[in-house]
Amino acid sequence: MENPKRLIVGITGASGAIYGVRLLGMLQNMAHVETHLVVSDAAALTLRHETGLSVADAASLADHVYDV
């Protein structure tokens, strides 16, 4: 990737985790966008409850992953 655009997606314990997951999914195949996912501890519960996904599932969609 030459000079990619960097985008940080934060998923917290708040409702709406699906929007972060969908955004990462849409950006996954865009070579000019480098995604960074920040996940809080509460996000694991929200992701599982609202989407049935684990943090690892969401992390697989991002280029880089950070926990809080």
Side-chain angles (χ1 to χ4, degrees), residues 1-6 30-34:
M1 255 188 278
E2 187 176 322
N3 297 322
K5 300 290 182 187
R6 293 182 182 100
M30 295 185 169
H32 64 284
V33 178
E34 179 181 281

Side-chain angles (χ1 to χ4, degrees), residues 15-47:
S15 290
I18 189 64
Y19 297 116
V21 172
R22 286 187 181 166
L23 178 61
L24 288 169
M26 292 171 58
L27 296 171
Q28 189 176 28
N29 295 320
M30 295 185 169
H32 64 284
V33 178
E34 179 181 281
T35 55
H36 295 255
L37 174 62
V38 180
V39 182
S40 72
D41 291 336
L45 299 173
T46 304
L47 279 166

